Amino acid sequence: MPNKTIYVADKDLPLYTRAQELAGGNLSKAISTALKRYVDAEEGRLEGYEEITVPVGPGTGRKRQRQRFTGVKLGEWVRSNEKKAEIYRVYRSRSGKFVIHIEKTPDFIHETNETGWRKLLGFGEQSYAMNYGDASLEVVETLEALKAKIPAELYQMVAATAEAPPVQDLDI
């Protein structure tokens, strides 16, 4: 196995020491793990993907679990009434799978100070508030599997864009 020498600035020495502690005394393992994540993120970025972090589980705040993946958003769809909202987001992961993120609010309030046609068209002063109830994340392999999991309107939008590459290189 080849040896590589890494020179560490004095100010960075505590960081390397802590990384070695967290890796069970194996600094090489810590550096390799960090480099794998860095290379994966940069290759994805160059391909047009981004790092996405979404909340998952019940409730809000710091205790709510977050999950992260590399992907590109294909579509978003919201259904709401006076009290609740459902927000569907569909992403394509870097591996080609489809990621479905669903947020459901327990309470949703929409108010407007206008009446008549101005209210119907959304003109005038409006306010709304919502808190997040439950959020889930599901991964499916194919468009066909995706179709059964999301609203038909969102599926049509996603299916139309799913095969397109996230970045198109133009020879101009």
Side-chain angles (χ1 to χ4, degrees):
M1 188 175 238
N3 277 334
K4 300 290 180 191
T5 302
I6 297 175
Y7 295 96
V8 178
D10 288 339
K11 65 179 178 100
D12 292 333
L13 194 54
L15 175 67
Y16 280 75
T17 302
R18 181 65 180 138
Q20 186 169 5
E21 290 170 3
L22 291 172
N26 187 344
L27 183 59
S28 178
K29 178 182 175 185
I31 291 171
S32 294
T33 300
L35 284 175
K36 283 177 190 172
R37 180 165 175 167
Y38 173 78
V39 167
D40 184 54
E42 284 302 301
E43 285 178 344
R45 187 184 62 77
L46 292 172
E47 294 171 4
Y49 293 91
E50 60 186 85
E51 189 173 89
I52 298 164
T53 304
V54 294
V56 176
T60 61
R62 294 186 329 156
K63 292 185 178 183
R64 191 172 197 186
Q65 182 183 6
R66 303 218 179 270
Q67 293 184 340
R68 180 175 37 220
F69 60 95
T70 302
V72 62
K73 187 191 281 187
L74 298 176
E76 182 170 329
W77 185 84
V78 179
R79 175 178 41 213
S80 66
N81 60 26
E82 303 83 31
K83 300 287 183 191
K84 297 188 182 292
E86 291 179 310
I87 303 137
Y88 288 77
R89 294 178 188 94
V90 177
Y91 304 88
R92 182 178 55 224
S93 72
R94 193 158 169 237
S95 66
K97 297 176 183 171
F98 295 96
V99 181
I100 307 161
H101 181 246
I102 303 170
E103 288 187 81
K104 296 183 180 183
T105 65
D107 297 307
F108 182 87
I109 302 166
H110 180 242
E111 297 177 350
T112 181
N113 293 334
E114 299 296 329
T115 59
W117 67 269
R118 293 180 66 82
K119 180 177 182 178
L120 290 174
L121 295 176
F123 293 126
E125 186 178 321
Q126 297 184 21
S127 61
Y128 72 93
M130 66 181 170
N131 61 3
Y132 294 95
D134 292 321
S136 63
L137 186 100
E138 186 174 352
V139 179
V140 296
E141 300 278 336
T142 65
L143 271 173
E144 193 59 38
L146 179 67
K147 188 174 188 175
K149 306 273 182 186
I150 62 174
E153 300 90 346
L154 178 58
Y155 176 77
Q156 290 172 356
M157 183 172 44
V158 168
T161 61
E163 300 304 319
V167 174
Q168 182 180 8
D169 291 322
L170 301 177
D171 186 20
I172 54 176

